[in-house]
Amino acid sequence: MSSLPPDTRLLLIDDHQIYLDGLTLTLGSLCEGVQLDHARNAAEALQQVREHPYDLILLDLQLPDSSGLALMQKLRAADAMVPIAILTASNSASDLEAALQLGAAGFISKTTDGKTLLDAVTQLLYGAQIVIGDESLSVDRQSNAREVGITPRQLEILDLLAEGLPNKVICQRLSLSEDTVKTHLKALFSSLNCHNRTECVTHARKLGLVSF
């Protein structure tokens, strides 16, 4: 069990009951006393949010009465403080970008295994932003990087930047000199039209260029 408070409450929004049941089973070990509410459509989800405060909402992109992105905007209007993560079968980089631009705290592939999902949800509850795609999304990531002139080596550096690592540690991880890392960073800032590391990572996430 994690050190999350025992009154942690999540809303799981998906129209497939079997998937909801599996998700509930996986997240039941999140922390002692965790409460997992279900909604199978947008109307149920909005009703739940009006009635209960949530620590996190996990939302599918495809619902019978609404798109997930449209619902996310309504949920944020109802409770601007609750983080919302997309949990989806979509491997589209454009879906990822749209979700992050609308303020999603996470974008997680439904192909993610139980342990990774549990870790991701814990990090989301602690305020992190999480992106976990499947292999197809990784291919999109490489393609997107090429379109904006970012090399595979610079993608590796982006991931380490997203971890918050300083230049010296990045040098050690990739066996590069500090000057080489600085050159890559300068190129990244130029390609993404940004001026500092935080802005660089934020913009890269919106473009689906960070792998987690």
Side-chain angles (χ1 to χ4, degrees):
M1 291 285 181
S2 71
S3 57
L4 293 166
D7 58 349
T8 297
R9 189 168 193 162
L10 277 65
L11 176 60
L12 315 177
I13 308 171
D14 196 291
D15 61 331
H16 294 96
Q17 189 62 48
I18 291 175
Y19 186 75
L20 277 176
D21 291 344
L23 196 56
T24 301
L25 194 62
T26 298
L27 296 179
S29 60
L30 188 65
C31 63
E32 189 175 348
V34 64
Q35 185 153 345
L36 303 167
D37 294 345
H38 293 178
R40 284 171 292 184
N41 55 51
E44 287 181 12
L46 288 166
Q47 185 65 31
Q48 293 274 40
V49 169
R50 291 188 194 103
E51 293 177 359
H52 309 288
Y54 288 102
D55 298 294
L56 176 66
I57 294 173
L58 295 179
L59 168 63
D60 189 17
L61 275 180
Q62 302 296 330
L63 295 169
D65 57 346
S66 173
S67 78
L69 295 179
L71 176 57
M72 185 169 78
Q73 291 175 285
K74 292 177 182 176
L75 292 170
R76 287 177 63 80
D79 184 347
M81 300 304 293
V82 61
I84 301 172
I86 302 296
L87 190 56
T88 178
S90 170
N91 56 21
S92 164
S94 60
D95 283 342
L96 167 62
E97 182 179 355
L100 295 181
Q101 284 182 339
L102 288 172
F107 190 95
I108 302 170
S109 169
K110 283 186 174 181
T111 61
T112 302
D113 65 82
K115 182 184 182 305
T116 303
L117 178 61
L118 209 52
D119 290 344
V121 168
T122 300
Q123 290 181 63
L124 285 163
L125 286 163
Y126 280 122
Q129 185 179 53
I130 300 292
V131 176
I132 302 174
D134 64 12
E135 291 178 2
S136 301
L137 190 57
S138 178
V139 172
D140 285 342
R141 177 183 176 232
Q142 299 281 352
S143 174
N144 289 349
R146 282 195 298 274
E147 285 179 15
V148 293
I150 291 175
T151 67
R153 176 62 88 187
Q154 287 161 7
L155 276 182
E156 290 181 290
I157 290 174
L158 259 178
D159 279 349
L160 298 179
L161 274 186
E163 286 185 44
L165 300 179
N167 284 4
K168 283 186 178 179
V169 178
I170 293 174
C171 294
Q172 292 166 359
R173 289 275 190 97
L174 300 178
S175 300
L176 297 173
S177 71
E178 194 153 359
D179 284 343
T180 300
V181 168
K182 285 179 179 176
T183 300
H184 281 310
L185 285 175
K186 188 175 179 182
L188 277 169
F189 288 3
S190 175
S191 296
L192 296 173
N193 192 27
C194 55
H195 305 94
N196 58 56
R197 297 160 76 96
T198 303
E199 194 180 341
C200 179
V201 171
T202 300
H203 192 49
R205 284 196 195 283
K206 289 179 179 177
L207 294 175
L209 298 176
V210 178
S211 68
F212 57 92

